[in-house]
Amino acid sequence: FGFNAGSAVAANNAAGMAMMVTHISASTAGMSWMLLEWILTGKPSVLGAVSGAISGLVVITPGSGYVDQTGAFLCGLTGGPVCYLGIQLKHKLGYDDALDAFGVHGIGGIWGGIMTGLLAHPDVGGAPGAFYGNPAQLGIQIAGILFTMAYSFIVTMLIIVPLDQILKATTGIGIRVSKEAEDQGLDISEHGESMIAHPAPPPGHFDVSKVPDTAVVAIGNDNA
């Protein structure tokens, strides 16, 4: 909300509209993602609803200063399913994306740029989209998306490839951690800490040897 509405750099109608359409898109995408998940897997989930809301925030960002409430609703309605299907790509293509960053932010950002080219309302941002008599805007959006993808790929390679070579020369491995480090978890292998200090035992399993003596005595006294 602060990112989209704050881009107006003022407390005015543009900021208010950007905040409203951001909220509409996030809410609608949360619902559409959850409904699709429910249809495909048989169960809705809180994680799905939250992921859908995030996808709605991503999709609306390119057009938050250009679409009206109807456009925001359509962005969220389509953005949830598009991003849900987008995260399935990692299972088919086999690339690493533990936080679904590309599936939600990459695919969602691309879809948001396309939807802006379709739904930009002249009364909101002054620039009409394809649905309001300016089909050329869709081509402009797609060209911008392709340029951004190419730029991001090239700059990322310029950063990652030298870094990979430096790490291989100094540590013997590149930017990809070892299989053992992955299995252990990067929180522990890379940072020496974990948000889960003591994993819970399997259901039905209780090892009394792990209980402090004082606790055993206390339990015994209570039973006595």
Side-chain angles (χ1 to χ4, degrees):
F1 292 96
F3 184 82
N4 290 346
S7 296
V9 198
N12 55 18
N13 291 339
M17 191 67 175
M19 180 176 291
M20 183 183 73
V21 297
T22 299
H23 184 69
I24 291 173
S25 179
S27 302
T28 309
M31 180 62 69
S32 63
W33 180 305
M34 186 178 68
L35 289 176
L36 180 62
E37 182 182 44
W38 199 343
I39 292 170
L40 296 180
T41 67
K43 294 181 180 180
S45 69
V46 174
L47 178 60
V50 172
S51 298
I54 294 173
S55 72
L57 295 174
V58 174
V59 171
I60 194 61
T61 295
S64 59
Y66 299 94
V67 303
D68 62 0
Q69 65 274 12
T70 303
F73 176 79
L74 293 175
C75 283
L77 186 66
T78 59
V82 166
C83 291
Y84 178 87
L85 297 175
I87 66 173
Q88 309 307 317
L89 288 175
K90 70 177 182 180
H91 303 299
K92 296 183 179 298
L93 301 180
Y95 61 83
D96 286 344
D97 190 7
L99 299 179
D100 293 323
F102 177 75
V104 174
H105 293 269
I107 299 297
I110 292 170
W111 186 246
I114 293 172
M115 292 296 279
T116 302
L118 295 172
L119 300 170
H121 198 296
D123 293 340
V124 177
F131 289 170
Y132 294 93
N134 183 25
Q137 187 62 44
L138 179 60
I140 294 172
Q141 295 297 120
I142 293 175
I145 291 167
L146 293 176
F147 175 83
T148 303
M149 291 172 64
Y151 173 82
S152 300
F153 177 80
I154 292 171
V155 173
T156 299
M157 289 297 102
L158 289 176
I159 296 172
I160 287 182
V161 172
L163 181 60
D164 184 57
Q165 295 301 315
I166 292 172
L167 288 174
K168 283 181 179 178
T170 56
T171 66
I173 59 174
I175 59 174
R176 177 67 181 265
V177 298
S178 66
K179 179 65 176 176
E180 292 75 16
E182 284 189 345
D183 291 340
Q184 187 181 28
L186 298 186
D187 283 348
I188 295 176
S189 63
E190 295 293 305
H191 305 289
E193 60 184 7
S194 174
M195 63 181 293
I196 303 175
H198 303 289
H205 176 79
F206 182 75
D207 188 353
V208 70
S209 66
K210 302 295 184 181
V211 179
D213 293 339
T214 53
V216 175
V217 171
I219 294 173
N221 290 340
D222 288 342
N223 291 336

